[in-house]
């Protein structure tokens, strides 16, 4: 076998993402191991180093002959994964400019992507055999590889079409998609392939899933010609899809109702914050696909783009589907549509709420998580969330937040978090249970700040948890930050002593980020935190600029002495904390007039955010005399970077009639379909729209 010749390659002369490629032959041998653990580790190392984030190196090219040999060997224990790796390498190379020169990690010029494609193209004939392999897991990546790498497009289409009868559902959908991909790549077969897809879409003897795929990929072949009939046709085909008798698709993908690959009650590794462990679990969960048609429907949504009403109609049908897997995968698609596009999404939110099924905790957890991510837009689901939360407490008891069944626990927690995000006190009992008993308390802390009406019960508990944080342990900084944020949101001055103690402890352990957050929280209570001046005042002169800026801002909030803090804030204008200093100067108002010359100069800064902060402060300090320059600066920065829009509009709103020259741009914003605002988040965009409406209502 060729694998025995692996040591004849000068791997040491090559490199990968992390250094010399001398470890690559060990990984290649590991891929052929009969031990699943060894194989998994080998693939993981190769992907992370020799195919790092999709990169292709000389060592990647040198590995290809060995990968092809293993993929073609009946004795290889995981041929599907090897072909999947070949497919990934080839797809990366096809996406790179063949005329471009890239650079290897050692800085030398590299055209490894061209060399890799030459190797794969020279061996592409083997995909014709692999697509007929007995192992369906081998056939799947081979189908895509055939369409991508076989030079003879007409033959590729012929082979693919011949595979359709008798193939499993997943393979049939892959065949349809791959035929369209070949047609898009080669005009010589475009017409014939498009005609075949059209005929397949209209063939009533075919399964509705296949007809749906043909309909979508026929439209994909001519994206500029998508008519009004495509979505109604897709909806009609969706209605014909029914779940299999076993509840599983023929590809073995998990169905709604079971969570694969996660051990119940598993705890994060020592030293790993639970928030980080949960984030990785969420990433893995989001990568799951439950229905074979999900990729087809995703392609249709991509094709429809900004046709939000049609996409909403399609998603409504997906969320009503009789097939649980179709319905489950639609949850994420609906969330993404609402997150990216403006409009009245009440219907979709109500349908998401309809996925809160007491008998199906897996689907309920996904629906509740999606609703929680939608912020204020989830309001129409309030009563459904409350009913689900209360039903779970009635069925599983008051400690359902810590239920031993992992799915029941997660579904309840997500529903409680979504309900709390709406400020609904019906979430409070479970939040209190979490804080008192400690199970997944961090999840409750993240939403506790929304329950301001219950500050009397929450503030003592959160303050106690903050006092228990070990600031010498950096892994607890995320928990400390979340506790501080929750106490600030609750706006209960009773939290001030705990926050002052947190400032002292964080500074002592040089946990500057937590110290800054706690100082900002103290400042939000104003004169109610004046007792903490002896803690805050010395920090206004410390070396760390983050802490110095936050302490100076807190001094102003706690004692209101403009003369004492304005000189310090002006000094900070010459540091990387100038934005924070400018914001405080704006809050001080007219008493910060000594800063005006410096702020006017900042209007010419190259960084648009600096100009926005300076312009807003100029208005707050100088008023009408600065209006013309302020409006001009804000509009220019907004045009340059729409992420500034929330800050720009907040200032324009404060300006009242002086902001009249900005009205055309404000009105234009209200006509745009795509969400905008800081981080393009739903909450920021909804705030932006509300501010735009307030400004235009006064005109």
């Amino acid at each position: 076998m060729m694998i025995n010749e692996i040591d004849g390659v000068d791997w040491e002369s090559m490199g990968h993402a992390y250094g010399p490629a001398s470890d690559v032959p060990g990984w290649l041998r590991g891929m052929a191991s009969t031990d699943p653990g060894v194989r998994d580790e080998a693939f993981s190392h190769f992907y992370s180093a020799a195919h790092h984030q999709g990169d292709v190196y000389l060592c990647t090219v040198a590995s290809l002959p060995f990968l092809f040999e293993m993929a073609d060997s009946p004795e290889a224990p995981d041929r599907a994964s090897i072909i999947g790796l070949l497919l990934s390498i080839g797809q990366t190379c096809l996406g790179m400019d063949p005329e471009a020169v890239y650079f290897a990690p050692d800085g030398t010029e590299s055209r490894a992507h061209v060399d890799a494609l030459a190797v794969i193209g020279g061996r592409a004939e083997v995909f014709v055999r692999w697509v007929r392999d007995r192992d369906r897991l081998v056939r799947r990546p081979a189908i895509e590889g055939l369409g991508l790498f076989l030079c003879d497009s007409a033959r590729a289409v012929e082979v693919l079409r011949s595979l359709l009868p008798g193939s499993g559902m997943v393979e049939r959908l892959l065949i349809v998609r791959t035929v369209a991909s070949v047609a898009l790549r080669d005009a010589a077969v475009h017409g014939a392939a498009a005609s075949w897809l059209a005929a397949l879409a209209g063939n009533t003897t075919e399964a509705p899933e296949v007809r749906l795929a043909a309909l979508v990929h026929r439209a994909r072949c001519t994206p500029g010609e998508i008519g009004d009939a495509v979505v109604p046709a897709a909806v009609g085909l969706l209605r014909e899809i029914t779940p299999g008798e076993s509840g599983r698709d023929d590809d073995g993908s998990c169905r709604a109702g079971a969570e694969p690959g996660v051990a119940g009650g598993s705890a994060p590794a020592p030293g790993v914050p639970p928030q980080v462990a949960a984030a990785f679990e969420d990433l893995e969960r989001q990568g799951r696909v439950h229905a074979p048609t999900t990729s087809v429907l995703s392609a249709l949504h991509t094709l429809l783009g900004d046709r939000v009403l049609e996409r909403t109609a399609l998603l409504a049908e997906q969320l009503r589907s009789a097939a649980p897997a179709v319905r489950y995968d639609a949850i994420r698609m609906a969330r993404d549509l609402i997150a990216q596009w403006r409009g009245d999404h009440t219907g979709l939110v109500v349908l998401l709420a309809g996925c809160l099924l007491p008998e199906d905790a897996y689907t309920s957890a996904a629906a509740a998580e999606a609703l929680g991510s939608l912020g204020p837009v989830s309001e129409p689901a309030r009563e459904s969330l409350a009913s689900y939360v209360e039903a779970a407490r009635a069925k599983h008891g008051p400690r359902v937040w810590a239920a031993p069944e992992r799915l029941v626990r997660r579904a309840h927690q997500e529903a409680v978090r979504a309900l709390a995000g709406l400020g609904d006190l019906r979430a409070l009992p479970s939040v209190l249970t979490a804080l008192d008993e400690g199970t997944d308390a961090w999840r409750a802390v993240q939403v506790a700040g929304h329950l301001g009406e219950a500050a009397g019960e929450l503030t003592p508990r959160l303050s106690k948890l903050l006092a228990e944080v070990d600031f010498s342990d950096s892994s607890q900084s995320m928990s400390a930050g979340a506790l501080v944020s929750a106490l600030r949101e609750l706006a209960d001055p009773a939290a001030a002593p705990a926050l002052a103690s947190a400032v002292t402890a964080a500074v002592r352990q040089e946990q500057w980020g937590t110290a800054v957050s706690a100082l900002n929280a103290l400042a939000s209570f104003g004169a109610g935190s004046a007792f903490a001046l002896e803690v805050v005042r010395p920090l206004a002169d410390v070396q760390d600029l983050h802490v110095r800026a936050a302490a100076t801002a807190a001094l102003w909030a706690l004692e209101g002495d403009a003369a004492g803090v304005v000189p310090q804030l002006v000094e900070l204008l010459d540091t990387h904390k100038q934005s924070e200093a400018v914001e405080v100067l704006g809050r001080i108002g007219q008493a910060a007039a000594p800063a005006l010359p410096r702020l006017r100069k900042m209007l010419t800064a190259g960084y648009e955010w600096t100009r926005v902060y300076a312009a807003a402060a100029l208005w707050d300090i100088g008023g009408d005399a600065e209006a013309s320059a302020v409006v001009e600066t804000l509009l220019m920065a907004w045009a340059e970077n729409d992420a500034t829009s929330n800050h720009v509009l907040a200032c324009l709103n404060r300006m009242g009639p002086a902001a009249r020259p900005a009205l055309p741009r404000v009105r234009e914003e209200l006509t745009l379909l795509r969400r905008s605002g800081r981080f393009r988040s739903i909450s920021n965009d909804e705030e932006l729209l509300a501010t735009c409406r307030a400004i235009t209502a006064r005109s």
Side-chain angles (χ1 to χ4, degrees), residues 513-530:
T514 303
V516 168
S517 297
L519 282 166
N520 291 336
L522 271 176
S524 70
F525 299 135
S529 297

Side-chain angles (χ1 to χ4, degrees), residues 11 17 51 93 170 185 244 258 261 268 289 376 419 460 518 579 602 607 628 639 642 660:
W11 299 100
H51 191 33
C93 296
V170 172
R185 191 181 76 242
V289 175
L419 190 60
S579 296
M602 290 171 66
Y607 186 39
S628 177
D642 68 2
R660 189 173 300 276

Side-chain angles (χ1 to χ4, degrees), residues 13-321:
S13 68
M14 308 176 203
H16 54 51
Y18 300 110
S22 54
D23 37 14
V24 171
W27 301 334
L28 292 171
R29 288 191 177 96
M31 293 177 193
S33 172
T34 57
D35 185 330
V38 172
R39 287 200 308 275
D40 288 347
E41 186 176 3
F43 277 109
S44 177
H45 282 307
F46 193 97
Y47 271 105
S48 65
H51 191 33
H52 177 69
Q53 296 181 352
D55 288 341
V56 175
Y57 310 97
L58 287 177
C59 68
T60 320
V61 180
S63 301
L64 291 173
F66 302 103
L67 292 172
F68 270 101
E69 183 191 41
M70 285 190 285
D72 208 31
S73 171
E75 288 78 29
D78 193 357
R79 296 169 59 217
S81 293
I82 296 168
I83 298 173
L85 175 55
L86 287 168
L87 178 64
S88 177
I89 294 169
Q91 286 173 322
T92 294
C93 296
L94 286 171
M96 300 170 75
D97 183 353
E99 303 300 323
V101 175
Y102 296 88
F103 291 91
D106 62 2
T108 59
E109 292 185 356
S110 171
R111 290 177 57 80
H113 61 297
V114 176
D115 297 336
L117 272 183
V119 174
I120 295 172
R123 296 171 178 260
E125 186 64 30
V126 74
F127 286 97
V128 177
R129 186 168 69 254
W130 290 345
V131 296
R132 295 188 173 95
D133 197 272
R134 288 180 299 176
D135 187 344
R136 67 185 179 193
L137 297 181
V138 167
R139 295 196 299 269
R140 290 173 189 173
I143 288 169
E144 293 189 81
L146 175 68
L148 286 173
F149 308 126
L150 196 67
C151 293
D152 187 343
S153 297
R155 183 167 177 239
V157 170
E158 179 186 355
V159 171
L160 290 165
R161 288 178 56 179
S162 72
L163 297 172
L164 194 66
S167 292
M169 182 58 69
V170 172
E171 291 86 64
R172 294 160 81 189
L173 300 187
L174 274 172
I175 290 164
V176 172
R177 184 179 75 187
T178 305
V179 167
S181 297
V182 176
L184 285 167
R185 191 181 76 242
D186 190 343
V189 299
H190 186 280
S195 296
W196 179 74
L197 290 168
L200 190 61
N203 184 354
T204 56
T205 65
E206 268 291 358
E209 294 93 336
V210 175
R211 295 177 62 200
L212 176 64
L215 173 76
V216 171
H217 291 298
R218 171 64 183 85
R220 186 170 145 238
C221 286
T222 52
E225 302 174 12
I226 301 177
D228 295 336
V230 171
V231 170
V235 166
L237 290 167
L238 273 172
R239 289 174 180 166
E240 295 183 32
I241 297 173
T242 56
E245 292 181 359
S246 67
R248 296 176 66 89
D249 296 311
D250 74 342
D251 64 334
S253 63
C254 74
R255 62 189 174 111
E259 185 162 27
V262 180
S266 59
V272 177
Q275 300 93 322
V276 173
F280 278 102
E281 279 189 20
D282 289 342
L283 283 174
E284 188 279 328
R285 193 179 293 116
Q286 289 173 19
R288 298 179 197 157
V289 175
H290 302 75
T293 52
T294 294
S295 63
V296 175
L297 292 164
S298 295
L300 181 52
H301 281 288
T302 299
L303 284 170
L304 292 171
D306 63 359
R307 294 160 68 165
V308 177
L309 291 178
E310 290 175 274
R311 293 181 64 186
T312 298
L314 179 61
L315 275 167
E317 195 60 40
Q318 292 174 244
L319 288 167
R320 295 191 190 102
S321 174

Side-chain angles (χ1 to χ4, degrees), residues 415-620:
V416 167
R417 283 157 55 87
L419 190 60
L422 293 170
D424 197 304
L425 290 182
R426 285 173 287 188
L428 183 62
S430 289
V431 170
L432 294 179
T433 296
L435 298 179
D436 289 342
E437 299 188 8
T439 301
D440 294 335
W442 66 272
R443 291 184 181 273
V445 170
Q446 288 181 336
V447 297
H450 296 290
L451 302 174
E453 293 181 41
E457 293 183 84
L458 290 168
T459 298
R461 290 173 166 87
L462 295 171
S463 297
K464 179 176 180 293
L465 289 173
L466 183 60
E468 293 171 353
V469 170
D470 180 2
F471 286 94
S472 66
D473 181 359
S474 60
S475 70
Q476 296 189 34
S477 62
M478 292 180 71
S479 297
L483 288 162
V484 168
S485 295
L487 288 168
R488 180 176 181 176
E489 286 182 88
L490 287 173
D492 183 356
L499 290 167
S501 297
V503 170
T504 301
V507 169
R508 184 185 304 119
Q509 299 297 332
E510 298 184 353
Q511 297 291 335
W512 307 124
T514 303
V516 168
S517 297
L519 282 166
N520 291 336
L522 271 176
S524 70
F525 299 135
S529 297
F531 73 90
L533 279 169
E534 61 183 37
V535 172
V536 175
R537 199 181 305 281
L539 300 178
D541 297 314
V542 297
Q543 186 174 3
D544 186 89
L545 285 175
H546 300 275
V547 175
R548 189 195 308 176
T552 304
L555 283 178
W556 159 250
L558 270 55
E559 60 182 354
D561 179 11
V565 298
V566 168
Q568 292 172 283
L569 292 168
V570 171
E571 283 184 22
L572 287 167
L573 296 180
D574 293 318
T575 73
H576 66 270
K577 301 306 291 181
Q578 63 180 194
S579 296
E580 289 84 345
V582 169
E583 280 197 293
V584 180
L585 288 167
R587 289 200 294 270
I588 292 172
Q590 292 182 354
L596 285 173
R598 183 72 176 84
L599 292 172
R600 293 189 189 108
K601 185 176 179 181
M602 290 171 66
L603 294 185
T604 63
Y607 186 39
E608 69 276 2
W609 279 103
T610 299
R611 301 197 302 271
V612 167
Y613 284 120
L618 269 178
W619 168 258
D620 293 329

